[in-house]
Amino acid sequence: MRPLPPEPAADAVLRGALVADGSGGEPYRADAVVRDGRIAGIHREGDPGPRPGRPGGGIDADGLVLAPGFIDMHAHSDLALLTDAGHEAKAAQGVTLEVLGQDGLSYAPVDDRTLAGLRSQLAGWNGDPQGLDWSWRSVGEYLDRLDAGPPGHDGMAVNAAYLVPHGTLRALVLGWEDRAATPAELLRMRELLAQGLAEGAVGMSAGLTYSPGMYAGTDELVALCRTVAEYGGYFCPHHRSYGADALAAYAETVDIARRSGCALHLAHATMNFETNRGRAGELTALLDAADDVDLTLDSYPYLPGSTTLAALLPGWATAGGPQQTLRRLADPAARAAIREAMEVHGSDGCHGVVADWTTVQVSGVRKAELRSAVGLTVAQLAERGRESGFDAFVRLLREDALGTTVLQHVGHEENVVTLMRHRAHTGGSDGLLTGDRPHPRAYGTFPRYLGHYVRERGVLGLAECVEHLSARPARRLRLPDRGLVRPGYRADLVLFDPQTVAAGSTYERPRTTPSGIPYVLVGGVPVIADHRRTGATPGRAVRRTTPGPRPDRARRGAASAQ
């Protein structure tokens, strides 16, 4: 009998790891073989036959947990992945896939006019890097640019998927106008949305406290979500309120999903401001009652939120785009109306809550000469300038051309914990990477889950938390070969020390990388090795692969899409 050919050489063997495979099941000890970008085999402790690979070779994973690479379901790396080949902010956390195009605002699809407006509006979120080649216009062209990666590289540090942003669609078709879309305009938005989905987007996001998406009515969103459902995608809304009327805002998104037949993923789900202290249980009850809706959510394990300072303005004040906003801020009559909306009634941009300037802390500015404001609350700026809080707010907006980013200290620990325990929960950093002192969640979300909420507090079990951060999001994204440590799956993997993993980022030093995550592999290629960035860029755009459009718009549960 002819002898069997020798086993092909492995790219890597991870030896003696405790495998938390993403299923939520009990971890087990095993060696994992990686070959040609995929998991070629799992040799459990006690299995018959020799251990794979060369004795003493491979990566010694004794004392480490091997898990599927983490999926950041809410990322703002839309430009960072095109400019920062290292991308340690996410790679060092064990993130191997990010979902971009969040909160209804990003850079595709666009035309020249729309792109200029978005670059100005989103400078606080993503910066406005000079020298970047902005020549893409369609979703497909943007995904191709992600595949290419930063100049001089072939690819990115991690993989990325994209949501078509509803606000960007609206800006492209209607501009930043505060009105309902006409039937012809709605049809055009649906056509552009369908094109983006056909080119590989995984769904549609919305930013319903951000201009221009906030000007859309429920019926417009239902119509667009019907298109998303036809292509097997999901709807990811930033709701109309996380403060006053938060439950009604969540109920609206459930209604949109139910009426359209579209899967729903709730972005950075939380209940903020004093009016919602201890009320997360009411939200989970609302979600549990929607058992006819394919529903998931993400959250970040921190209390403060983060956005632009301009986002707190009432919606009518931002109609027409950034230049019109600045003109209103310079007009005494408009300024008086803005003050009343914010300090008497509670503006929609501030979630219907009266502005408390002691909770709004500057985290970044566009103009270097304003950096002395970073780290101060608007109330402290007002005291320094011997002016009112509102006047300090307006002055900073005007001087920084709307480019200021802030932290809002409005969260509650009991709400954060209640939501992360929910059966539909996944992890999302919502991390802005620009500014002098960005929110530490950008560099710390995933190790904070594992270190603080698993090891230190026991809110989640280890295997349970890994499932939240890997398999659940992979199912939501309908990725059949990611999110689990199993033979044949893509070798997007992370090795971490369960005894030492921890977020290094703090509010004072937000760009400190985590500890306890020595290895991260993307497609079998180490991007982090011995705690250091390797320089490899194996990441690519992950395109929606479900054939579309799907006329049945079946509402399959996320758990069944494995």
Side-chain angles (χ1 to χ4, degrees), residues 105-107 110 114-123 168 171 176:
L105 291 166
S106 190
Y107 306 95
V110 292
T114 307
L115 179 59
L118 289 166
R119 286 178 63 178
S120 178
Q121 182 176 358
L122 300 181
T168 298
W176 277 258

Side-chain angles (χ1 to χ4, degrees), residues 250-274:
Y250 282 108
E252 180 195 22
T253 64
V254 171
D255 179 58
I256 290 166
R258 184 176 285 124
R259 289 170 58 191
S260 65
C262 187
L264 176 64
H265 181 83
L266 304 174
H268 40 57
T270 188
M271 298 281 284
N272 282 337
F273 302 93
E274 193 58 34

Side-chain angles (χ1 to χ4, degrees), residues 16-260:
L18 181 66
V19 180
D21 66 6
S23 69
E26 189 69 23
Y28 56 87
R29 296 206 172 275
D31 300 337
V33 179
V34 173
R35 185 180 297 115
D36 297 329
R38 293 187 179 269
I39 301 168
I42 303 290
H43 188 279
R44 295 194 183 216
E45 188 175 64
D47 281 355
R51 296 178 70 178
R54 179 170 50 84
I59 296 172
D60 181 4
D62 183 45
L64 301 177
V65 172
L66 174 64
F70 304 138
I71 298 176
D72 188 343
M73 288 296 286
H74 193 105
H76 288 284
S77 304
D78 306 53
L79 300 183
L81 285 167
L82 300 178
T83 57
D84 177 14
H87 201 47
E88 278 190 300
K90 297 301 176 66
Q93 292 187 63
V95 171
T96 58
L97 171 60
E98 300 184 87
V99 185
L100 314 178
Q102 299 287 349
D103 295 323
L105 291 166
S106 190
Y107 306 95
V110 292
D111 57 16
D112 291 352
R113 173 192 60 84
T114 307
L115 179 59
L118 289 166
R119 286 178 63 178
S120 178
Q121 182 176 358
L122 300 181
W125 281 4
N126 301 317
D128 188 27
Q130 302 305 303
L132 179 65
D133 179 359
W134 294 88
S135 59
W136 73 82
R137 292 296 178 266
S138 69
V139 169
E141 290 168 347
Y142 175 70
L143 296 178
D144 289 344
R145 184 62 56 81
L146 289 174
D147 280 337
H153 294 80
D154 179 20
M156 306 170 286
V158 303
N159 300 306
Y162 188 72
L163 295 161
V164 179
H166 164 250
T168 298
L169 290 175
R170 230 178 186 264
L172 183 56
V173 176
L174 285 79
W176 277 258
E177 295 185 29
D178 183 0
R179 63 174 177 84
T182 67
E185 289 167 336
L186 180 55
L187 177 61
R188 181 58 180 148
M189 281 193 281
R190 294 188 73 175
E191 291 171 346
L192 290 166
L193 174 59
Q195 179 184 339
L197 293 164
E199 291 172 349
V202 295
M204 181 183 77
S205 73
L208 302 180
T209 67
Y210 297 127
S211 173
M214 65 194 308
Y215 308 135
T218 303
D219 288 346
E220 175 181 313
L221 295 167
V222 170
L224 291 166
C225 282
R226 286 184 178 132
T227 298
V228 177
E230 289 170 1
Y231 282 83
Y234 68 93
F235 177 44
C236 181
H238 166 119
H239 322 93
R240 294 193 195 273
S241 176
Y242 292 83
D245 299 320
L247 289 175
Y250 282 108
E252 180 195 22
T253 64
V254 171
D255 179 58
I256 290 166
R258 184 176 285 124
R259 289 170 58 191
S260 65

Side-chain angles (χ1 to χ4, degrees), residues 437-474:
R437 283 169 55 176
H439 197 304
R441 67 193 186 193
Y443 283 73
T445 286
F446 296 86
R448 181 168 169 82
Y449 270 120
L450 294 164
H452 184 64
Y453 286 101
V454 172
R455 183 181 65 247
E456 295 174 5
R457 295 195 54 194
V459 172
L460 298 173
L462 175 63
E464 179 186 19
C465 185
V466 168
E467 181 186 9
H468 287 218
L469 305 182
S470 57
R472 280 190 196 169

